[in-house]
Amino acid sequence: MNRYPFAYEPSRPFLAQAGEWIGDVFYDILPEQGFEVRDEQIYMAFQLERAFAEKRTILAEAGVGTGKTLVYLLYAVCYARYMRKPAVIACADESLIEQLVKPEGDIAKLSKHLNLEIDARLAKSPDQYVCLMKLDEARMGHVEPELYRAVYEELPDFVHAYEGLQSFHAYGDRKNYPLLSDEQWNRMNWDPFQDCFACERRHRCGQTLSRDSYRKSADLIVCSHDFYMEHVWTFESRKREGQLPLLPDHCAVVFDEGHLLESAAQEALTYTLKHVVFEELITRLLKGEIRESLAVRIDEAIEQSELMFTRLEELSTVIPGSGRRRILMNEQLLDDIHRFRDILSSIEEELVFESELFTLNMYQLRIVEEHLEMMQKALALFKHPQTFVCWATESINGLSLVILPRTVKEVLRERVFSLNIPIIFSSATLSVDDSFDYVAGSMGIEDYLSFSVPSPYDYAHAMKVTAPVWKHRGTFSEKMKTTVRLLERSGGRALILFSGAEEMDRFRRELIHYPECAGMRFGFEGQREISHLISAFQQDEESILCAYSLWEGLDVPGPSLSNVIIWGMPFPPEQDPVFAAKRASSASPYEEVDLPYMLLRLKQGMGRLIRTRQDRGTVAILSEQLYEQPLLREKVGGLLPEGVELNMGED
């Protein structure tokens, strides 16, 4: 197989030759096979050539239908082969990943029509794999044990049998369990509180085996934003522990739906503390022969940890529209935290002496020391309240304390944007009011290239945007009745976008009171694995998909999606601690934080409707705020494609 898809002349710059070939692909090769020539696509190709040649960061805003994915894939493959390192394609979520790698996806299209073998491999987040330890707990538990026993029995033979000359392969991918709801899946998948270092089955684990596979990719590694940022955040610690980084050395990064990278970075850069995890780890030390003074300190630490988390539960309140709980900080809680830190410090001092006696298992000791170091770093932030944001989350085994240092920009600047490699941000929505400042500023990008090209579609004839009028300021009941009317009119064929899971769940509960919907077929996010849910929606033309995270990335061309209903303006949750911190550091919180976030999300949501030249449909925005706030109405009107108007008072 030839290394390059064109005849390479070493005497000429490689990227100039790659650009010429890519120009031929879009002007000649693909049109000969039925693809249309798109000027926007050609323009984007020339812009990316400069970014790759100069190893720069570029914000590439290209509307729906410009074919931006094919452009960055071609440059990424060529550059990977030139540099002899894979390029990373980081997508916002699993549904976007699926669009790239599915049998009829963009990578397969290029391979087929260009007769080009592309080595593209998936690097999925750990939580997309079965955890053997959690599966054991689930099948021995009290909630649907038969379900989990069936999953256990279907695992590969090498998981159960320890024999010679065994062959191993990756398994346990979330996609292999399409009928499990998110709740069922979460009882058996990996989560951050699993101690993989001490797991005796880690070498037979599905996620470990998947890493062996994707590391060997010659061209592309496709992963999520979350996974890439987890790689960035754990890079140094994994090297210290003698482990390989999550991703191999790579030559370039493409962030598809790049405007969402900030939230992924925030998720990855958090410290998460949990009492049950701490207690389980620290009590491992009691199994060895340790001095009485250390045993006393361990008991004190467990008692203080339990007290601290009890206090956290008392002082935390649910944030509407968010899965987070706000913590009402007071002096008593701070005293509990500082006392806990003091006890941890004394345990660390004790462990220095204990390690010299060689009575403890050194591997277990290292794991405990790493965890204590992480806890100390996290809790030390409470000395300076302005340096962090914190919140609590709740799960079946207790409360978690989540702490986010306000250093996301610094980490991105130091560990991503200073790598001296091409970094491509690709999306249809990277600018607000023709400026890239909001997205660039939120991620600390100081030096970048940018461009914007519109969609080639005739939206004036394809798309209608309405804002129904309300008699009672858009109550939930009014929105339900309007939605039912819209669904009857379109015969289903609709995507309903909610701002959060709570809104969607309430809508789901209320449906039983509307007999008009009895014969309609609804799919709800979380009901089963997301790519199968989307596939079912596309294949069942008259069905309805309800979701809260599919504002971006969902690509369902054709009549199955003829109606997008936006339940409300997608502003960030009012009391969310991350956005509260952003507002506190802004001179104009509404104009600089809330409004740009909402406009980007709304534009993405409306962009789900028209995916091909043949698509036609309606976007309905169910919002009383559009009537009450003229400035907001003007801003929303400015988002609409040329020739499309916001029709007030219609549904």
Side-chain angles (χ1 to χ4, degrees):
M1 183 181 72
N2 292 330
R3 183 173 166 192
Y4 304 121
F6 54 87
Y8 172 54
E9 298 177 24
S11 61
R12 296 179 56 213
F14 172 80
L15 282 165
Q17 296 178 68
E20 290 169 3
W21 174 73
I22 291 170
D24 291 340
V25 167
F26 293 132
Y27 274 125
D28 300 319
I29 301 174
L30 290 182
E32 286 174 3
Q33 302 188 47
F35 289 74
E36 64 177 290
V37 177
R38 297 172 180 170
D39 292 337
E40 298 86 0
Q41 197 174 44
I42 305 295
Y43 178 79
M44 179 177 178
F46 283 115
Q47 297 299 315
L48 289 199
E49 180 182 333
R50 181 184 172 192
F52 276 91
E54 299 177 7
K55 298 182 180 180
R56 298 277 298 280
T57 295
I58 186 168
L59 304 185
E61 183 177 63
V64 177
T66 53
K68 54 185 176 291
T69 306
L70 300 185
V71 178
Y72 73 60
L73 284 175
L74 287 175
Y75 271 105
V77 169
C78 289
Y79 196 66
R81 295 185 179 185
Y82 178 64
M83 299 296 291
R84 297 180 183 268
K85 298 176 186 177
V88 172
I89 311 296
C91 302
D93 55 39
E94 300 301 326
S95 62
L96 269 169
I97 291 174
E98 182 66 17
Q99 285 183 42
L100 284 177
V101 302
K102 63 186 178 182
E104 67 278 16
D106 292 317
I107 293 174
K109 285 179 186 175
L110 287 179
S111 296
K112 174 184 175 183
H113 294 289
L114 300 180
N115 193 26
L116 178 65
E117 291 185 27
I118 300 176
D119 185 5
R121 308 192 189 191
L122 277 177
K124 287 199 168 186
S125 298
D127 61 5
Q128 294 295 306
Y129 289 93
V130 170
C131 170
L132 297 175
M133 302 302 288
K134 281 181 70 176
L135 180 58
D136 280 349
E137 294 174 5
R139 66 191 178 92
M140 301 298 181
H142 302 291
V143 182
E144 301 180 288
E146 300 84 2
L147 169 69
Y148 299 107
R149 280 198 286 268
V151 171
Y152 179 80
E153 290 167 4
E154 292 172 0
L155 293 175
D157 291 340
F158 63 76
V159 176
H160 313 296
Y162 288 69
E163 301 172 354
L165 300 177
Q166 286 182 311
S167 62
F168 297 84
H169 58 84
Y171 66 92
D173 189 330
R174 171 68 171 109
K175 193 178 175 183
N176 298 332
Y177 305 94
L179 300 182
L180 265 61
S181 69
D182 285 355
E183 185 178 2
Q184 292 169 324
W185 171 253
N186 288 338
R187 294 193 193 105
M188 70 178 205
N189 74 322
W190 181 91
D191 65 50
F193 298 108
Q194 301 310 305
D195 186 1
C196 299
F197 302 136
C199 180
E200 61 184 17
R201 288 185 280 183
R202 63 187 180 278
H203 298 303
R204 296 169 186 268
C205 169
Q207 63 159 305
T208 302
L209 294 171
S210 76
R211 288 177 192 164
D212 293 339
S213 172
Y214 71 68
R215 284 184 168 280
K216 299 170 184 174
S217 176
D219 294 329
L220 305 176
I221 296 176
V222 183
C223 67
S224 66
H225 289 180
D226 292 339
F227 188 77
Y228 189 83
M229 291 313 304
E230 186 70 17
H231 159 75
V232 169
W233 187 233
T234 61
F235 185 84
E236 294 297 335
S237 63
R238 290 181 70 87
K239 285 175 66 177
R240 283 200 309 271
E241 294 162 5
Q243 301 183 78
L244 290 172
L246 292 178
L247 289 168
D249 192 18
H250 45 279
C251 66
V253 186
V254 177
F255 293 112
D256 202 341
E257 301 298 353
H259 63 288
L260 297 176
L261 180 65
E262 183 195 12
S263 60
Q266 289 171 339
E267 289 292 325
L269 304 187
T270 55
Y271 297 104
T272 305
L273 280 59
K274 200 164 193 170
H275 171 70
V276 292
V277 175
F278 169 71
E279 184 176 19
E280 195 277 329
L281 271 174
I282 203 72
T283 51
R284 290 181 188 179
L285 299 177
L286 297 175
K287 296 175 183 177
E289 296 180 10
I290 61 173
R291 291 169 299 125
E292 183 180 355
S293 58
L294 176 56
V296 169
R297 286 300 188 189
I298 289 172
D299 287 340
E300 288 178 356
I302 293 171
E303 184 179 340
Q304 185 63 26
S305 173
E306 195 166 17
L307 174 64
M308 183 180 77
F309 276 92
T310 299
R311 193 93 65 197
L312 279 168
E313 192 157 10
E314 293 170 354
L315 295 172
S316 65
T317 58
V318 174
I319 300 171
S322 171
R324 298 165 176 166
R325 297 174 65 92
R326 186 161 64 99
I327 298 171
L328 306 174
M329 200 66 63
N330 64 17
E331 289 299 322
Q332 199 171 26
L333 176 58
L334 288 172
D335 288 344
D336 289 337
I337 291 171
H338 296 323
R339 171 161 170 71
F340 186 46
R341 280 197 69 225
D342 291 340
I343 297 173
L344 293 182
S345 296
S346 64
I347 290 176
E348 288 177 317
E349 292 173 4
E350 294 276 355
L351 288 177
V352 173
F353 294 105
E354 204 70 41
S355 63
E356 296 173 354
L357 300 175
F358 300 101
T359 56
L360 291 173
N361 179 294
M362 297 307 291
Y363 183 68
Q364 294 287 351
L365 178 60
R366 190 182 70 178
I367 292 169
V368 173
E369 287 176 333
E370 284 281 344
H371 195 78
L372 292 180
E373 183 183 350
M374 179 275 291
M375 294 180 72
Q376 287 282 35
K377 286 180 180 178
L379 296 175
L381 293 171
F382 283 89
K383 285 185 173 181
H384 309 285
Q386 71 278 5
T387 64
F388 72 97
V389 180
C390 71
W391 62 89
T393 59
E394 202 160 13
S395 63
I396 55 174
N397 59 350
L399 203 71
S400 300
L401 172 61
V402 185
I403 305 165
L404 169 65
R406 295 192 189 187
T407 56
V408 172
K409 291 182 184 179
E410 288 75 11
V411 171
L412 286 171
R413 192 179 295 123
E414 177 186 345
R415 303 189 189 179
V416 179
F417 302 123
S418 65
L419 294 178
N420 194 33
I421 61 174
I423 298 176
I424 315 302
F425 285 82
S426 172
S427 177
T429 53
L430 287 171
S431 65
V432 178
D433 291 336
D434 299 321
S435 170
F436 293 92
D437 290 349
Y438 174 73
V439 169
S442 67
M443 290 181 282
I445 305 174
E446 296 173 345
D447 176 36
Y448 61 92
L449 304 171
S450 66
F451 71 90
S452 182
V453 291
S455 169
Y457 297 156
D458 182 6
Y459 283 94
H461 293 93
M463 181 181 190
K464 182 180 180 182
V465 181
T466 67
V469 67
W470 311 106
K471 293 181 180 177
H472 306 289
R473 301 189 70 247
T475 63
F476 199 92
S477 176
E478 277 190 297
K479 288 185 177 182
M480 285 294 301
K481 291 174 183 176
T482 299
T483 299
V484 170
R485 235 178 9 253
L486 291 167
L487 294 176
E488 286 183 301
R489 185 180 303 167
S490 62
R493 302 180 176 87
L495 168 69
I496 308 179
L497 289 171
F498 298 88
S499 292
E502 292 176 359
E503 260 186 1
M504 186 188 75
D505 290 341
R506 184 180 176 189
F507 174 84
R508 186 178 185 176
R509 292 192 301 269
E510 293 292 325
L511 277 176
I512 61 171
H513 303 301
Y514 293 86
E516 307 96 313
C517 298
M520 296 181 183
R521 296 178 294 282
F522 289 84
F524 291 88
E525 183 175 352
Q527 223 173 20
R528 47 182 162 153
E529 195 270 331
I530 192 69
S531 66
H532 285 77
L533 188 68
I534 293 170
S535 178
F537 169 62
Q538 187 165 12
Q539 292 171 22
D540 184 358
E541 185 179 312
E542 296 182 357
S543 64
I544 299 139
L545 177 60
C546 301
Y548 54 88
S549 71
L550 295 178
W551 293 78
E552 302 88 0
L554 180 67
D555 186 18
V556 179
S560 292
L561 208 173
S562 303
N563 190 2
V564 174
I565 301 172
I566 295 173
W567 190 260
M569 307 304 286
F571 283 102
E574 190 173 339
Q575 298 176 16
D576 184 273
V578 174
F579 284 99
K582 285 187 174 186
R583 295 182 189 108
S585 60
S586 171
S588 304
Y590 180 76
E591 291 79 8
E592 296 177 0
V593 179
D594 291 43
L595 189 59
Y597 173 90
M598 185 280 294
L599 292 174
L600 281 174
R601 200 158 175 77
L602 180 63
K603 189 174 181 180
Q604 280 283 356
M606 293 190 294
R608 300 312 96 211
L609 182 66
I610 306 299
R611 308 304 297 178
T612 69
R613 291 190 188 277
Q614 290 73 41
D615 286 352
R616 300 288 184 273
T618 301
V619 174
I621 304 173
L622 312 187
S623 168
E624 71 282 6
Q625 295 160 296
L626 286 174
Y627 289 89
E628 298 170 351
Q629 302 176 30
L631 176 61
L632 179 64
R633 192 161 61 245
E634 180 185 338
K635 291 287 187 183
V636 171
L639 288 181
L640 304 181
E642 186 177 349
V644 179
E645 295 183 356
L646 179 61
N647 298 291
M648 303 295 292
E650 296 185 27
D651 60 47

